[in-house]
Each structure stands twice: as structure tokens, then as C-alpha cells.
Amino acid sequence: MFDFLGHYWPMFLQGTLQTLLISIIGVIIGFLVGLLMTLMRMSSVKPVSWIARIYVSIVRGTPSMIQVMLVYYFLSKTLPLPDVQVLGSGLDRIIPGALALGLNSGAYTSEIFRSGIISIPAGQTEAGLSLGMSQRQTMFSIILPQALRNTLPAMGNEFITLIKESSVLFYIGVQEVTAEALGVGGTLYNFIPPLLVAAAIYFVITQALSLLLNYMENKMSKKYTVAG
Amino acid sequence: MKLKKKLFAGLAVIALLAGGLAGCGKQSADNSVKKIEDKGTLTIGTSADFAPFEFPVMQNGKKVIKGYDIMVAQKIADSMGVKLKVENIEFPSLISELQNHKVDLVLAGMTKTKKREKAVDFSKPYYTESEKILVKKADANKYNNRADTKGANFGAQQSSTQETLGKSETDAHIVTESLTTGLTTDLKAGKLDGVILATTVAEQYVKKYPNEYAMAKYNMPVPKSLKYLNIAIPKNEPALKKKVNKEITHLQKTGQLDKMFKKAQQEQEKYGK
């Protein structure tokens, strides 16, 4: 049933690397955008907080496939990206694709950050302030480190979603692993085995990621467990 | 044929929006052919999961997209004295890629529909397709005319030409799924009585699994609009259209189109083991 792999494995390998590439860029952009949006949302300057609110609503309220297409066509009209081939796709497709994934993920991560910050009792802020720390110091040295730890499980969920969601980039011609599987399925007149291979690849990637996140969670909790 | 109408309509709107945002101010003379010649490459868009029209293979350790559409595109590129570049993109995105000039032509087993014609231009037909009903071998003589199809359950790919045809030309109940392979699996399991497929595709199934499948005797009449495959060309590029049509006529007259199609089928059989 999987004889075709002997011949087609390089396509799956390249597709997997492409999926990893776009997901990693997407996760990094998503993390940064999410953090920025959370801080903007909690800003005391009203218009700034509105911008963040509107951003999150729009991104969460529209399908990611459409966002990818819009970012791609907007950038292709405004920014001359080079069509240098990286892992079987042009940069003029990879860059807008990964950017769109990140912008999409940013809206979700910002809500995750916000829930983490809300989860820290107000007493912590009060304690920081009464110790003579500034508003900013309290946020970055007391609230955020604890909030980050609380948000890790939800964040892991979001990263896993992003990896799986990255298959929408075939709509703009990025040759990620689902695209390769569909192609091989077309050649074989049999889609099921190549799709099973792609599913197994996604599973391995997401499992590796959740192990990594578990490890980080343990490491970050160490500070909070009472020694001895 | 792959004809995903709803998605296409949505994407056309997006493409129009994107076009509007950037403001199209190109009204100058048609230099479409010259632009391609200056670039030195003809870029075509296709969706390579549709053997024998376009499908990826591994050749000398490298992924290469092959098939009938690619051979025709290569001939057009040759006639212009330029290299051919193939972009593999999901089918519903192809029209907007063309409208935004990310690709020069689209060859993707595409039929000329009224909706698509609003967005892009089409060449003369370069392939004539017919449709067949694939059935289990035991049912080879069961469906001989339209009346025989009454009460049967036939499958067709979602939003495809075959779905349209099944609804208008048979009295069967039409079940749609997104993948053809899902439908043929259902047929094998006895959940469906038949699957409507392009003749070339149905033939390949019978050839590959001669003990499982057969072709029904009922020949559905296919309306003109669903019969031909055409090359999609951006609007307002008459020079490119003329060039493409000229090459198609040449390939037709010299019998090369038929030869290329046979070659594409042989290649699929060689690589699709």
C-alpha cells in the first residue's frame, strides 16, 4: 500500500520541510503580534486599545484561507518579492503565506496572553506597586512571567492548530506536505495512502512540539515549587 | 473536470478587490507576447493532481510535473522561443492568479464556463472530453439508457462537471464527495451504484482494476459548454490569445495533440504504479 514511498519520499520530505519552515515563521510572527496586541489592548489610551480589539475581531471572524489570499494579492501588487525558489516554492509565495499565518495566529495568541494576564490576581499588581515598582516594572517582572507560564498549554494548542492550518497555503501555490500528498494521489489515482502519510507526518510534528512544550512547562514551574 | 463554482465566485471577488486596491491603470497597447519573450519564460498555472492532464513524478531524484497540459504548454513555449515554468496551485485559485498576472496562462483541464468567461479569456478547445459512468463489473449491463438509472445512487465529485451532468442527464440520486477516490472506494464497497467520471479517467480505472470495474453502456449527452477544455488567458491580451490559438491549430492539424495525450496516459501508467 505504501510502495510509492520508495519512489516519492523526496517529495514528502521537501513538503515536510516546507510545512516546518512556514509554521516556524508563522509561530514567531504570531507570538510577537499577539504580545503587541495584548499590550495595546490593555493600554490606557483608548484608540490604541480599540485598534487591538478591532484587529482581533476581524481576524478571528474571517476564514484563514481568505486572509491568506488577501495578504498574498495585496503584497504581490505592492511589494516586488523575489521568486527565488526555497524548498520547491518561490519566496514571493512563501513570505506572504507565512506572514498571513502569523497575522492570523497573532489574534488568537493575543487572547491567550490576555487570559493569562487576567488570571494573575490583582493583589500581585498591588504588591508590586506598593513595593515601589513602576507600572511597567510590575508588568514585565511580576505579571508577564507568571502569565506566560499559565498560558503555555493554550499556546501549545494554538501552535499545533497553526501547523495543521498551514495546509491552506496551497491556495497560493506553496508546496507544503498536503499539496505534495494530493499531487502524488493524483498520479497514483489513489489519494488515501498519500494522505495517510501526510497525516502521519503532521502527527509526528505536533507530538514533537507538545513534548517540547511539556518540557518547557516543567522547567518554568520549577521556580514555583517549594524545594525539599 | 474540476469546476468548483462557489469557491471560484468568492475568489473572483477577492481578485477584483485586490485589483481595485492597487488601481489598475494599464490601458496601453497589448504587449503580452513581447513581455513573455523579454522575460524568457512562459509561466503557466496548473493544479497537479489530475492525471493524465497534470501530475507530479519523481525523475532522477527531482520532482517534475508532467501530463498532457504540460506538453501542450511546452509546445506553446517552444513556439515563442522561451522556457516553460510550471506553478502548482490549488485549482480554485488559478483564475485569480491569472488575473493578477502571477501566471501567463492556465492549463488545468479547465472548461469554459460563462462565469469564468467574465473573469478571463479562453483559447480555442485543445481537448474534447466525454463522460462515462463507472460501475461494478457485475453491473456492466445494468444501465443502458436514462430510464435504467432511475433509483440508482451515483457519485460525482463535488461542484464538478460530472455533478452538473449527473443531475441533468440521469434520473439517479447524485451523491457528492470532494475526492474522486472516495467515490470509487464507495463503489467498491457497494455503497454507490456508479460514479460519473471523465471518460479518460474512467478508462484508467477499468484498466488498472479490470476485475473490479466496468463502464456502463449509457452514453450521457454532454452539453457543448462542458465538453471542451480550453486554455485560460488574461483578458485584453489578444496577441497572446492569437499566438496560443495558432499553436493549438498547428498541433491539431499535425496530429500531435492526440499523440501527446496517449503519451501522457502512458507516463501516468509508468509512474502511477
Side-chain angles (χ1 to χ4, degrees):
Chain A
M1 185 177 177
F2 295 106
D3 305 342
F4 64 91
L5 277 179
H7 195 57
Y8 289 102
W9 67 266
M11 274 175 67
F12 282 96
L13 178 66
Q14 182 171 303
T16 307
L17 294 176
Q18 183 66 258
T19 294
L20 283 174
L21 175 71
I22 52 183
S23 303
I24 290 169
I25 304 175
V27 162
I28 294 171
I29 296 175
F31 189 85
L32 296 176
V33 170
L35 198 57
L36 178 72
M37 284 299 147
T38 314
L39 295 176
M40 280 172 70
R41 172 93 188 242
M42 296 190 323
S43 160
S44 49
V45 186
K46 279 277 177 263
V48 172
S49 129
W50 289 337
I51 292 174
R53 237 174 236 255
I54 292 169
Y55 179 83
V56 171
S57 319
I58 290 179
V59 172
R60 280 202 309 187
T62 53
S64 50
M65 185 271 264
I66 295 178
Q67 292 164 12
V68 167
M69 303 282 300
L70 285 175
V71 170
Y72 172 58
Y73 286 113
F74 182 72
L75 283 188
S76 76
K77 292 271 180 191
T78 51
L79 207 66
L81 293 167
D83 64 346
V84 181
Q85 300 287 312
V86 178
L87 297 169
S89 312
L91 278 181
D92 58 335
R93 294 170 191 279
I94 297 174
I95 293 173
L99 180 68
L101 279 184
L103 290 175
N104 175 277
S105 175
Y108 293 91
T109 42
S110 95
E111 286 296 277
I112 295 171
F113 276 133
R114 204 165 64 88
S115 72
I117 289 169
I118 294 170
S119 76
I120 308 299
Q124 299 266 340
T125 315
E126 284 161 12
L129 292 176
S130 61
L131 280 171
M133 292 173 110
S134 69
Q135 190 71 259
R136 181 183 293 254
Q137 272 176 322
T138 314
M139 177 51 97
F140 282 95
S141 330
I142 297 182
I143 309 296
L144 268 186
Q146 297 184 72
L148 211 57
R149 174 174 150 260
N150 283 354
T151 56
L152 263 184
M155 209 57 99
N157 226 348
E158 171 53 27
F159 292 163
I160 286 171
T161 309
L162 186 143
I163 290 170
K164 292 184 294 176
E165 192 97 316
S166 68
S167 62
V168 299
L169 294 203
F170 186 33
Y171 276 99
I172 59 167
V174 177
Q175 309 297 303
E176 40 68 54
V177 72
T178 310
E180 301 286 29
L182 288 173
V184 174
T187 309
L188 301 172
Y189 279 119
N190 193 358
F191 284 91
I192 308 298
L195 285 178
L196 282 175
V197 171
I201 291 171
Y202 280 111
F203 184 73
V204 170
I205 296 175
T206 52
Q207 281 303 301
L209 180 70
S210 53
L211 284 178
L212 179 74
L213 283 162
N214 271 339
Y215 171 76
M216 278 172 68
E217 232 173 280
N218 286 335
K219 217 173 166 187
M220 287 176 94
S221 330
K222 257 188 196 151
K223 285 185 223 162
Y224 298 88
T225 46
V226 183
Chain B
M1 240 59 10
K2 302 174 286 185
L3 199 159
K4 305 189 175 152
K5 287 181 207 152
K6 276 178 203 157
L7 259 172
F8 164 71
L11 294 172
V13 169
I14 290 170
L16 281 176
L17 258 170
L21 279 173
C24 330
K26 281 174 265 168
Q27 290 295 323
S28 52
D30 175 31
N31 55 0
S32 48
V33 174
K34 198 174 170 298
K35 250 164 73 188
I36 295 168
E37 284 169 352
D38 288 349
K39 259 194 315 181
T41 8
L42 173 74
T43 311
I44 65 144
T46 195
S47 183
D49 57 0
F50 195 55
F53 291 93
E54 42 265 332
F55 52 97
V57 302
M58 292 298 299
Q59 214 172 40
N60 305 324
K62 266 182 78 183
K63 174 182 159 188
V64 186
I65 296 176
K66 292 200 165 243
Y68 178 68
D69 282 346
I70 312 302
M71 292 181 205
V72 173
Q74 185 65 57
K75 290 281 179 197
I76 295 170
D78 290 348
S79 77
M80 296 168 99
V82 296
K83 273 194 274 182
L84 177 71
K85 188 178 166 200
V86 181
E87 289 279 9
N88 179 24
I89 308 150
E90 189 129 2
F91 190 76
S93 307
L94 287 170
I95 298 263
S96 49
E97 289 274 331
L98 192 63
Q99 285 180 310
N100 283 281
H101 298 275
K102 299 290 291 183
V103 296
D104 300 315
L105 296 172
V106 168
L107 287 89
M110 198 178 263
T111 50
K112 180 165 100 179
T113 62
K114 285 213 172 84
K115 266 190 189 160
R116 284 181 185 148
E117 273 190 297
K118 279 183 193 156
V120 293
D121 223 340
F122 281 99
S123 73
K124 61 190 285 192
Y126 66 102
Y127 185 74
T128 311
E129 182 64 289
S130 58
E131 315 285 335
K132 281 271 184 333
I133 305 167
L134 186 73
V135 293
K136 277 207 279 195
K137 198 162 188 202
D139 292 341
N141 296 314
K142 200 168 168 187
Y143 305 103
N144 301 319
N145 50 50
R146 184 170 179 149
D148 290 345
T149 64
K150 201 164 182 187
N153 282 310
F154 286 164
Q157 192 172 25
Q158 206 165 29
S159 323
S160 67
T161 312
Q162 289 79 32
E163 184 189 349
T164 316
L165 202 66
K167 283 183 176 155
S168 65
E169 302 303 333
T170 75
D171 294 319
H173 173 64
I174 302 295
V175 179
T176 62
E177 285 182 25
S178 61
L179 292 178
T180 304
T181 331
L183 295 166
T184 50
T185 313
D186 279 357
L187 176 63
K188 216 193 276 183
K191 283 193 204 152
L192 287 174
D193 301 312
V195 179
I196 303 170
L197 292 169
T199 304
T200 42
V201 179
E203 274 171 357
Q204 298 287 90
Y205 270 100
V206 175
K207 216 168 184 178
K208 205 170 166 193
Y209 307 103
N211 299 320
E212 305 262 2
Y213 303 120
M215 223 97 84
K217 296 235 165 68
Y218 173 44
N219 266 326
M220 292 174 287
V222 183
K224 234 183 181 173
S225 62
L226 300 177
K227 215 170 175 174
Y228 302 115
L229 297 188
N230 308 72
I231 300 174
I233 304 164
K235 273 215 186 296
N236 303 318
E237 295 195 350
L240 183 59
K241 185 173 174 179
K242 208 172 142 195
K243 188 99 194 162
V244 169
N245 280 341
K246 205 178 140 194
E247 187 59 24
I248 294 175
T249 312
H250 169 71
L251 294 173
Q252 228 156 21
K253 275 195 184 145
T254 51
Q256 289 185 71
L257 283 182
D258 293 335
K259 267 187 219 150
M260 285 193 282
F261 193 80
K262 286 208 181 86
K263 198 173 160 217
Q265 280 181 310
Q266 284 161 4
E267 273 182 340
Q268 192 280 327
E269 279 163 36
K270 185 175 149 207
Y271 287 101
K273 276 183 281 199

